[in-house]
Amino acid sequence: MNSKTQAKYEARAKIIKAMAHPTRLFIVDELAQRGERCVCELTEMIGADMSTVSRHLAVLKEAGIIADDKRGAQVYYQLRVRCVLNFFECVESVMQNNSRERAKVLN
Amino acid sequence: MNSKTQAKYEARAKIIKAMAHPTRLFIVDELAQRGERCVCELTEMIGADMSTVSRHLAVLKEAGIIADDKRGAQVYYQLRVRCVLNFFECVESVMQNNSRERAKVLN
DNA sequence: TGCACATTTGGCTAAACTTACAAATGTTCC
DNA sequence: GGAACATTTGTAAGTTTAGCCAAATGTGCA
């Protein structure tokens, strides 16, 4: 694989990697449903340290998946790219395939 | 977040995590285009140690994204779920948004 | 059986990721 | 200015991941 091809896949992987964490998937899902949320609201829902949540948000923002909007002392985050929601559909179908496959093995 | 919700997002993250590596994205892309490939062919194309490639393939297989088919001494892998290819489209659009955004900042 | 080849697995190291606490920064309001 | 609050950042510890080499396993064939 040449270095240009390598770079192409690294750039893609970086964005997918930003989605590859349960807390970050929760955040994306939540923002998709509610439009926007501030860090304190998300922290409350997630139940982790606020600094941890802030770091997850930074990862998603750095990847370009969410955008931040400072309003007073709060920072509100919103989804910038809706198409990442398509990931969920596909993931669900993979999981369904998997459980079907496992059921088959047991017979 | 309760433990059921937590488990849901962890299961999803596991599958997305399997896609979150440049080499594994390359493999998925290659299998999508060529139908199937044995480990030795992929190893040749990727240019890493065969044991490394074998481990990447195991990750994708464990997630349910690819399937293996042993034929003689070789093991052929093929894509089991085409919808993961939708990831690429979305990732491209995120990258385009990002570069547009960066261009705007420079003006 | 024994050699050649394909693949996987064990073991190890280095790098990356995740998390929490504490401290720093920024904002509002008195 | 100073207290109260929201958020980010520095730091350190623990965990996971990626990579390679070497060894083990499995297959085909003389």
Side-chain angles (χ1 to χ4, degrees):
Chain A
M1 198 166 15
N2 65 48
S3 68
K4 195 179 151 195
T5 308
Q6 177 75 22
K8 181 178 89 174
Y9 287 104
E10 273 169 15
R12 289 177 173 185
K14 194 187 154 193
I15 291 168
I16 296 178
K17 206 179 291 187
M19 297 282 292
H21 189 285
T23 300
R24 294 197 291 267
L25 288 180
F26 173 85
I27 291 170
V28 167
D29 218 352
E30 182 61 27
L31 296 183
Q33 284 171 45
R34 309 298 165 101
E36 63 172 20
R37 287 291 196 189
C38 68
V39 183
C40 54
E41 288 172 318
L42 292 167
T43 298
E44 164 93 36
M45 288 183 264
I46 291 165
D49 196 275
M50 183 180 275
S51 69
T52 301
V53 174
S54 177
R55 288 215 145 99
H56 283 305
L57 289 164
V59 171
L60 288 168
K61 184 188 162 192
E62 163 67 20
I65 295 167
I66 62 175
D68 62 341
D69 181 20
K70 296 169 213 237
R71 293 211 289 279
Q74 275 121 321
V75 180
Y76 286 85
Y77 283 92
Q78 65 178 165
L79 210 51
R80 203 160 84 93
V81 199
R82 306 277 309 177
C83 67
V84 293
L85 299 174
N86 300 342
F87 286 29
F88 292 132
E89 263 180 75
C90 180
V91 164
E92 292 301 327
S93 88
V94 173
M95 297 198 310
Q96 272 175 35
N97 272 3
N98 290 352
S99 52
R100 216 174 301 147
E101 195 63 33
R102 262 158 222 154
K104 213 193 290 175
V105 171
L106 295 179
N107 295 343
Chain B
M1 199 165 18
N2 65 47
S3 69
K4 195 180 154 196
T5 309
Q6 177 77 21
K8 181 178 90 174
Y9 287 105
E10 272 170 15
R12 289 177 172 184
K14 193 187 155 194
I15 291 168
I16 296 179
K17 208 180 289 187
M19 296 284 290
H21 190 286
T23 300
R24 296 198 288 268
L25 288 180
F26 173 84
I27 290 171
V28 167
D29 219 352
E30 181 62 26
L31 296 183
Q33 284 171 46
R34 310 298 165 98
E36 62 171 21
R37 288 291 196 189
C38 67
V39 184
C40 54
E41 288 172 317
L42 291 168
T43 298
E44 164 93 37
M45 288 183 264
I46 291 164
D49 195 276
M50 184 180 273
S51 68
T52 300
V53 174
S54 176
R55 289 215 146 100
H56 283 305
L57 289 164
V59 170
L60 287 168
K61 184 188 161 192
E62 163 67 19
I65 295 167
I66 62 175
D68 62 342
D69 181 19
K70 297 169 211 237
R71 293 211 289 279
Q74 275 119 323
V75 180
Y76 285 86
Y77 283 91
Q78 64 178 163
L79 210 51
R80 203 159 85 93
V81 198
R82 306 278 306 177
C83 67
V84 293
L85 299 174
N86 300 342
F87 287 28
F88 292 132
E89 263 179 76
C90 180
V91 164
E92 291 301 327
S93 86
V94 173
M95 296 197 310
Q96 274 175 33
N97 273 5
N98 290 351
S99 52
R100 216 174 302 146
E101 196 62 34
R102 262 157 222 152
K104 214 193 289 174
V105 172
L106 294 179
N107 293 344

